[in-house]
Each structure stands twice: as C-alpha cells, then as structure tokens.
C-alpha cells in the first residue's frame, strides 16, 4: 500500500469518526480501476476475505448468489488474501480461477493483506476501531448503508445462510 494513500485514508477516517470511517476506503479492483466505498454509500456491504485454495472456497458460490439476490440493494466485495498461505500467486490466476470455477461477477479486489501492520487500511480500521481481525479465510464483515460495522462472522456461516441473510434483510427493511 502506498504510504500517501494510507495516510490519506487514515486522515479521512479520523475526520469522519468511527461510524463512517469505512466510507473513506478504496480497494484496487482485480480487473483494473478502484472500488471506492464512498460510491457504495446507501447500501449495506458484505466484505469477505477470500482465498482460492481454502477448504471454504466453495463459499464463492454463496457470495455470488448474495451478489445476485441483492443486486441494486446491497453489495458484496471479495478481498483475496494470502495471509493464510492459501491464495494463488497472481491476480490473473485468481481472476481466472474464480471465473472458470465459479462464474463470479461480483466485485473482487487485488490480493490484499488483511492482518498485521501491512493489512489494507480497511482491515486495520476493523482491528483498531472494532477489535476484529480475520482469523482465517472467508471471514465476513457486514456494514450498514452509512458504513458502520453491523456484524462479523468467521469462516463457517454460509453467505446465503439464515444468519447473514437475516442481517442484510434487517438493514434493508430498516
């Protein structure tokens, strides 16, 4: 992560306060360009750290179904990470793997650290402000339409499972 980008995101977080801190973050897209969370304001967001070679990789199917079921009302963002040594070697390999095996059309970032001092600023914010750090691949984070943290889950809950869908539905009906 570029030091200037990190400092800019950190300054924006401090200015916005903890409830809206996530709105200041952006992620590089695996397809080029950038995902700016400010552009997604007004919709709940499910952020999931992923890995192509993990035993939970089958959850990509559920993430795609969430993406399709809530299209236009909520967002899903997959964040590939090699923090647990289970990701492929390049973004091109990850993109091809996900397209061929899962037909993914949901937004996906480049490979990002999600733990420790090199973690993407979004994940550092989660660790600092909310004491949440992914303990394994496919940990899930749900943010409300204003970017406030609503819930976190470990690897086991299925993306289309009752717990996660109920939380998203609750945000949409509020």
């Amino acid at each position: 992560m570029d030091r200037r980008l990190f400092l800019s995101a950190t300054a924006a977080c401090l200015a916005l306060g903890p409830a809206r801190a996530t709105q200041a973050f952006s992620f590089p897209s695996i397809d080029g360009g950038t995902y700016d969370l400010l552009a997604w304001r007004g919709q709940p967001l499910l952020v999931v750290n992923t890995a192509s070679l993990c035993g939970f990789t089958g959850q990509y199917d559920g993430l795609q179904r969430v993406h399709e079921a809530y299209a236009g009302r909520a967002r899903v963002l997959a964040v590939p990470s090699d923090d647990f040594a289970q990701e492929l070697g390049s973004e091109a390999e990850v993109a091809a793997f996900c397209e061929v095996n899962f037909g993914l059309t949901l937004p996906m970032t480049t490979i990002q650290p999600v733990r420790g001092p090199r973690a993407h600023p979004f994940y550092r914010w989660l660790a600092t402000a909310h004491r949440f750090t992914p303990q394994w691949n496919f940990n899930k984070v749900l943010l409300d339409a204003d970017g406030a943290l609503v819930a976190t889950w470990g690897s086991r809950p299925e993306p289309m499972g009752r717990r996660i869908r109920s939380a998203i539905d609750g945000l949409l009906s509020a």
Side-chain angles (χ1 to χ4, degrees):
M1 162 86 23
D2 180 287
R3 180 174 166 73
R4 285 175 287 159
L5 178 61
F6 172 74
L7 292 174
S8 172
T10 302
C13 289
L14 294 173
L16 293 171
R20 294 179 187 253
T22 58
Q23 297 294 332
F25 296 114
S26 64
F27 289 86
S29 168
I30 201 163
D31 298 319
T34 303
Y35 296 119
D36 183 352
L37 299 191
L38 275 173
W40 294 346
R41 187 173 183 180
Q43 297 181 357
L45 173 63
L46 183 66
V47 181
V48 183
N49 66 300
T50 62
S52 302
L53 304 175
C54 178
F56 292 102
T57 301
Q59 288 189 16
Y60 272 133
D61 282 328
L63 292 175
Q64 181 65 29
R65 287 196 319 270
V66 170
H67 172 68
E68 292 168 0
Y70 293 99
R73 300 179 300 141
R75 298 270 185 166
V76 177
L77 180 64
V79 182
S81 179
D82 196 36
D83 281 4
F84 304 104
Q86 294 191 317
E87 189 52 272
L88 297 168
S90 72
E91 277 88 17
E93 291 174 294
V94 173
F97 174 85
C98 289
E99 182 178 342
V100 167
N101 293 294
F102 300 99
L104 290 190
T105 61
L106 59 88
M108 181 176 280
T109 74
T110 57
I111 299 170
Q112 298 291 317
V114 297
R115 297 171 52 90
R118 294 190 62 236
H120 183 279
F122 172 81
Y123 282 96
R124 282 210 236 163
W125 171 76
L126 286 172
T128 302
H130 299 287
R131 298 178 186 232
F132 176 79
T133 301
Q135 298 303 304
W136 193 244
N137 301 308
F138 289 87
N139 279 209
K140 297 138 189 99
V141 175
L142 181 62
L143 308 174
D144 71 11
D146 293 323
L149 180 66
V150 174
T152 62
W153 297 275
S155 304
R156 293 202 184 279
E158 290 288 331
M160 280 297 284
R162 183 183 51 81
R163 291 170 56 195
I164 295 174
R165 277 190 347 226
S166 293
I168 295 170
D169 290 340
L171 292 173
L172 292 173
S173 66

